[in-house]
Coordinates of all heavy atoms in Angstrom, one line a residue:
A1 N -20.5 -34.0 -21.4 CA -20.5 -33.8 -22.8 C -21.8 -34.3 -23.4 O -22.3 -33.7 -24.3 CB -19.3 -34.7 -23.4
R2 N -22.3 -35.3 -23.0 CA -23.6 -35.8 -23.5 C -24.7 -34.7 -23.2 O -25.6 -34.6 -24.1 CB -24.0 -37.0 -22.9 CG -23.1 -38.2 -23.1 CD -23.5 -39.5 -22.5 NE -22.6 -40.6 -22.8 CZ -22.7 -41.8 -22.3 NH1 -23.7 -42.1 -21.5 NH2 -21.9 -42.8 -22.7
F3 N -24.7 -34.1 -22.1 CA -25.8 -33.1 -21.9 C -25.6 -32.0 -22.9 O -26.6 -31.5 -23.4 CB -25.7 -32.6 -20.5 CG -26.3 -33.5 -19.4 CD1 -25.4 -34.2 -18.5 CD2 -27.6 -33.8 -19.4 CE1 -26.0 -35.0 -17.6 CE2 -28.2 -34.7 -18.4 CZ -27.3 -35.3 -17.6
A4 N -24.4 -31.5 -23.1 CA -24.1 -30.4 -24.0 C -24.6 -30.8 -25.4 O -25.1 -29.9 -26.1 CB -22.6 -30.0 -24.0
E5 N -24.3 -32.0 -25.8 CA -24.7 -32.5 -27.1 C -26.2 -32.5 -27.3 O -26.7 -32.4 -28.4 CB -24.1 -33.8 -27.4 CG -22.6 -33.9 -27.6 CD -22.1 -35.2 -27.6 OE1 -22.8 -36.2 -27.5 OE2 -20.8 -35.4 -27.7
A6 N -26.9 -32.7 -26.1 CA -28.4 -32.9 -26.2 C -29.0 -31.5 -26.3 O -30.2 -31.5 -26.7 CB -28.9 -33.6 -25.0
V7 N -28.4 -30.4 -26.0 CA -29.1 -29.1 -26.0 C -29.6 -28.6 -27.3 O -30.8 -28.3 -27.3 CB -28.0 -28.0 -25.4 CG1 -28.7 -26.5 -25.6 CG2 -27.8 -28.2 -24.0
E8 N -28.9 -28.8 -28.3 CA -29.4 -28.3 -29.7 C -30.6 -29.0 -30.1 O -31.5 -28.4 -30.5 CB -28.2 -28.4 -30.7 CG -28.6 -27.7 -32.0 CD -27.5 -27.7 -33.1 OE1 -26.3 -28.1 -32.7 OE2 -27.8 -27.5 -34.2
P9 N -30.5 -30.4 -30.2 CA -31.7 -31.1 -30.7 C -32.9 -30.9 -29.8 O -34.1 -30.7 -30.2 CB -31.3 -32.7 -30.7 CG -30.0 -32.6 -29.8 CD -29.4 -31.3 -30.0
L10 N -32.7 -30.8 -28.5 CA -33.8 -30.6 -27.5 C -34.5 -29.2 -27.7 O -35.6 -28.9 -27.6 CB -33.4 -30.7 -26.1 CG -33.3 -32.1 -25.6 CD1 -32.6 -32.2 -24.2 CD2 -34.7 -32.8 -25.5
T11 N -33.5 -28.2 -28.0 CA -34.0 -26.9 -28.3 C -34.9 -26.8 -29.5 O -35.9 -26.1 -29.4 CB -32.8 -25.9 -28.5 OG1 -32.0 -25.8 -27.3 CG2 -33.2 -24.5 -28.8
D22 N -42.4 -32.5 -20.7 CA -41.4 -33.4 -20.7 C -40.1 -33.0 -21.5 O -38.9 -33.1 -21.0 CB -41.8 -34.8 -21.3 CG -42.8 -35.5 -20.3 OD1 -42.7 -35.2 -19.2 OD2 -43.5 -36.3 -20.7
I23 N -40.4 -32.5 -22.8 CA -39.3 -31.9 -23.6 C -38.7 -30.8 -22.9 O -37.4 -30.6 -22.8 CB -39.8 -31.5 -24.9 CG1 -40.3 -32.7 -25.7 CG2 -38.7 -30.7 -25.7 CD1 -41.1 -32.4 -27.0
K24 N -39.5 -29.9 -22.3 CA -38.9 -28.7 -21.6 C -38.1 -29.0 -20.4 O -37.1 -28.5 -20.1 CB -40.1 -27.7 -21.2 CG -39.6 -26.2 -21.1 CD -40.8 -25.3 -21.0 CE -41.5 -25.2 -22.3 NZ -40.8 -24.4 -23.3
S25 N -38.5 -30.1 -19.7 CA -37.8 -30.5 -18.5 C -36.4 -31.2 -18.9 O -35.4 -30.9 -18.4 CB -38.7 -31.7 -17.9 OG -37.9 -32.3 -16.8
G26 N -36.4 -31.9 -20.1 CA -35.2 -32.4 -20.5 C -34.2 -31.3 -21.0 O -33.0 -31.4 -20.8
L27 N -34.7 -30.3 -21.6 CA -33.9 -29.2 -22.2 C -33.4 -28.5 -20.9 O -32.2 -28.1 -20.9 CB -34.8 -28.3 -23.0 CG -34.1 -27.0 -23.5 CD1 -32.7 -27.3 -24.2 CD2 -35.0 -26.2 -24.4
G28 N -34.2 -28.2 -19.9 CA -33.7 -27.4 -18.7 C -32.6 -28.3 -18.0 O -31.6 -27.6 -17.6
L29 N -32.8 -29.5 -17.9 CA -31.8 -30.3 -17.2 C -30.5 -30.4 -18.1 O -29.4 -30.2 -17.4 CB -32.4 -31.7 -17.1 CG -31.4 -32.7 -16.3 CD1 -31.0 -32.2 -14.9 CD2 -32.0 -34.1 -16.2
A30 N -30.6 -30.6 -19.4 CA -29.5 -30.6 -20.2 C -28.7 -29.2 -20.1 O -27.4 -29.3 -20.0 CB -29.8 -30.8 -21.7
L31 N -29.4 -28.1 -20.2 CA -28.7 -26.8 -20.0 C -28.0 -26.6 -18.7 O -26.9 -26.1 -18.6 CB -29.8 -25.7 -20.2 CG -30.3 -25.5 -21.6 CD1 -31.6 -24.7 -21.7 CD2 -29.2 -24.8 -22.6
M32 N -28.7 -27.1 -17.6 CA -28.2 -27.0 -16.3 C -26.9 -27.7 -16.2 O -25.9 -27.3 -15.5 CB -29.2 -27.4 -15.1 CG -28.6 -27.1 -13.8 SD -30.0 -27.4 -12.5 CE -30.2 -29.2 -12.5
E33 N -26.9 -29.1 -16.6 CA -25.8 -30.0 -16.4 C -24.6 -29.6 -17.4 O -23.6 -30.0 -17.2 CB -26.2 -31.4 -16.7 CG -27.2 -32.0 -15.7 CD -26.5 -32.0 -14.3 OE1 -25.4 -32.0 -14.2 OE2 -27.4 -31.9 -13.3
S34 N -25.0 -28.8 -18.4 CA -23.7 -28.4 -19.2 C -23.4 -27.0 -18.9 O -22.5 -26.3 -19.5 CB -24.3 -28.3 -20.7 OG -25.4 -27.5 -20.9
G35 N -23.9 -26.4 -17.7 CA -23.3 -25.2 -17.1 C -23.9 -23.9 -17.6 O -23.4 -22.8 -17.4
N36 N -25.0 -24.0 -18.5 CA -25.6 -22.8 -18.9 C -26.8 -22.5 -18.1 O -28.0 -22.7 -18.4 CB -26.1 -23.1 -20.4 CG -26.5 -21.8 -21.2 OD1 -26.9 -20.8 -20.5 ND2 -26.4 -21.9 -22.5
Y37 N -26.5 -21.8 -17.0 CA -27.5 -21.6 -16.0 C -28.6 -20.6 -16.3 O -29.7 -20.7 -15.9 CB -26.9 -21.3 -14.6 CG -26.0 -22.4 -14.2 CD1 -24.7 -22.4 -14.1 CD2 -26.5 -23.7 -13.9 CE1 -23.8 -23.4 -13.8 CE2 -25.7 -24.8 -13.6 CZ -24.4 -24.6 -13.5 OH -23.6 -25.6 -13.2
R39 N -29.8 -19.8 -19.3 CA -30.8 -20.4 -20.3 C -31.6 -21.5 -19.5 O -32.9 -21.6 -19.7 CB -30.1 -20.9 -21.4 CG -29.9 -20.0 -22.6 CD -29.5 -20.8 -23.9 NE -30.6 -21.5 -24.4 CZ -30.5 -22.5 -25.3 NH1 -29.3 -22.8 -25.7 NH2 -31.6 -23.2 -25.7
A40 N -30.9 -22.3 -18.6 CA -31.7 -23.3 -17.9 C -32.7 -22.7 -17.1 O -33.9 -23.3 -17.0 CB -30.6 -24.1 -16.9
L41 N -32.5 -21.6 -16.4 CA -33.4 -21.0 -15.6 C -34.6 -20.4 -16.3 O -35.7 -20.6 -15.9 CB -32.8 -19.9 -14.7 CG -32.0 -20.3 -13.5 CD1 -31.1 -19.2 -13.0 CD2 -32.9 -21.0 -12.4
V43 N -35.7 -21.6 -19.1 CA -36.6 -22.8 -19.6 C -37.3 -23.3 -18.4 O -38.6 -23.7 -18.4 CB -35.7 -23.9 -20.2 CG1 -36.4 -25.2 -20.4 CG2 -35.1 -23.4 -21.6
L44 N -36.6 -23.4 -17.2 CA -37.3 -24.0 -16.0 C -38.4 -23.2 -15.5 O -39.5 -23.6 -15.1 CB -36.2 -24.2 -14.9 CG -35.2 -25.4 -15.2 CD1 -34.2 -25.4 -14.1 CD2 -35.9 -26.7 -15.2
L47 N -41.3 -24.0 -17.6 CA -41.7 -25.3 -17.2 C -42.7 -25.1 -15.9 O -43.7 -25.7 -15.8 CB -40.7 -26.1 -16.9 CG -41.0 -27.6 -16.4 CD1 -41.9 -28.3 -17.5 CD2 -39.7 -28.4 -16.2
L60 N -35.4 -28.1 -9.2 CA -34.5 -27.9 -10.2 C -34.1 -26.4 -10.3 O -33.0 -26.0 -10.6 CB -35.0 -28.4 -11.5 CG -35.0 -29.9 -11.7 CD1 -35.8 -30.3 -13.0 CD2 -33.6 -30.5 -11.6
A64 N -30.4 -24.9 -9.8 CA -29.8 -24.0 -10.8 C -29.4 -22.7 -10.3 O -28.3 -22.2 -10.7 CB -30.7 -23.9 -12.1
R67 N -26.2 -23.3 -8.1 CA -25.0 -23.5 -8.9 C -24.6 -22.2 -9.7 O -23.4 -21.9 -9.7 CB -25.4 -24.7 -10.0 CG -25.5 -26.0 -9.4 CD -25.5 -27.0 -10.6 NE -25.7 -28.4 -10.0 CZ -25.8 -29.5 -10.8 NH1 -25.5 -29.3 -12.1 NH2 -25.9 -30.6 -10.3
F100 N -19.6 -28.0 -12.1 CA -20.8 -27.3 -12.4 C -20.7 -26.6 -13.8 O -21.6 -26.5 -14.5 CB -21.2 -26.3 -11.4 CG -21.7 -26.9 -10.0 CD1 -21.8 -26.1 -8.9 CD2 -22.1 -28.2 -9.9 CE1 -22.2 -26.7 -7.7 CE2 -22.5 -28.7 -8.8 CZ -22.6 -28.0 -7.7
T101 N -19.4 -26.1 -14.1 CA -19.2 -25.3 -15.3 C -18.9 -26.3 -16.4 O -18.8 -25.9 -17.6 CB -18.0 -24.5 -15.2 OG1 -16.8 -25.1 -15.0 CG2 -18.2 -23.5 -14.1
G102 N -18.7 -27.6 -16.2 CA -18.5 -28.6 -17.2 C -17.0 -28.9 -17.4 O -16.6 -29.6 -18.3
R136 N -20.0 -40.6 -15.4 CA -20.3 -41.8 -16.2 C -19.0 -42.7 -16.5 O -19.0 -43.4 -17.5 CB -21.1 -41.5 -17.5 CG -22.5 -41.0 -17.3 CD -23.1 -40.7 -18.5 NE -24.5 -40.4 -18.3 CZ -25.0 -39.2 -17.9 NH1 -24.1 -38.2 -17.5 NH2 -26.2 -38.9 -17.7

Side-chain angles (χ1 to χ4, degrees):
R2 292 180 182 177
F3 284 111
E5 291 168 4
V7 168
E8 185 179 351
L10 281 171
T11 299
D22 289 335
I23 294 170
K24 206 170 287 291
S25 176
L27 175 58
L29 182 62
L31 286 163
M32 184 171 73
E33 292 299 334
S34 57
N36 194 333
Y37 299 113
R39 275 194 67 197
L41 284 164
V43 170
L44 289 171
L47 180 60
L60 288 173
R67 289 189 181 184
F100 289 163
T101 67
R136 293 178 172 77

